[in-house]
Amino acid sequence: MEQRAPLPPFTLETALQKVQLAEDAWNSCNPERVCMAYTIDTEWRNRAEFINGREEVKAFLSKKWRKELHYKLKKELWSFHENRIAVRFHYEWQDAAGQWYRSYGNELWEYDENGLMRKRYASINDLAILENEKTL
């Protein structure tokens, strides 16, 4: 059985650890590494896209990081309860034409008993910025 510590129910310390682990993994821009934090049958809503299962997550992330160049992310714990965590985040990236963006969002995460994320709901907005406005 796959496990991904820390396991729920979360405390402040373990919720903060889970958020930091997610930030570190996503900043690797490695779809193989990131997708292993999710259940085989994970359910996502990312913006207006619905993604089901670890293999679709891997494909989605591969496509994402081909488009979002120089990706850098910062996550912040907003709230937690038992097996759920709410996070706010922002990340910066550049498109192939050289335009920089800062994307702001909120995520709701639900974990199974083994510490794998089974549901992820993300609402995200993009803001075009100048390179000298980057903060990350």
Side-chain angles (χ1 to χ4, degrees):
M1 180 62 61
E2 293 178 84
Q3 280 197 334
R4 190 63 77 136
L7 306 179
F10 298 114
T11 64
L12 176 58
E13 180 182 346
T14 60
L16 287 167
Q17 288 174 347
K18 209 62 151 171
V19 171
Q20 187 62 57
L21 288 166
E23 179 182 304
D24 294 345
W26 280 66
N27 276 326
S28 76
C29 298
N30 180 336
E32 281 286 336
R33 175 181 173 192
V34 174
C35 78
M36 295 309 292
Y38 302 93
T39 60
I40 293 287
D41 60 349
T42 192
E43 296 175 17
W44 283 24
R45 182 189 49 76
N46 193 85
R47 302 175 192 251
E49 287 186 73
F50 295 85
I51 301 150
N52 294 292
R54 195 182 279 168
E55 289 303 311
E56 284 188 22
V57 167
K58 190 182 342 178
F60 169 83
L61 293 173
S62 295
K63 179 180 167 187
K64 171 185 179 66
W65 288 319
R66 280 193 303 271
K67 174 188 173 193
E68 297 178 359
L69 309 173
H70 311 293
Y71 179 94
K72 182 71 175 161
L73 166 73
K74 180 66 182 153
K75 291 187 181 282
E76 177 188 350
L77 176 66
W78 187 257
S79 182
F80 69 96
H81 180 70
E82 296 179 2
N83 69 330
R84 292 180 173 175
I85 295 176
V87 174
R88 54 180 261 162
F89 64 88
H90 69 279
Y91 62 92
E92 295 172 346
W93 56 281
Q94 188 178 38
D95 68 14
Q99 174 63 57
W100 282 95
Y101 294 88
R102 184 175 303 120
S103 300
Y104 294 96
N106 302 300
E107 291 177 320
L108 302 175
W109 301 341
E110 182 181 273
Y111 289 88
D112 72 3
E113 63 279 359
N114 294 306
L116 297 169
M117 193 183 299
R118 69 176 155 216
K119 294 186 182 192
R120 175 185 174 266
Y121 303 108
S123 297
I124 307 166
N125 298 299
D126 301 319
L127 174 67
I129 61 172
L130 299 173
E131 185 172 6
N132 66 359
E133 295 175 311
K134 290 175 42 196
T135 60
L136 296 175

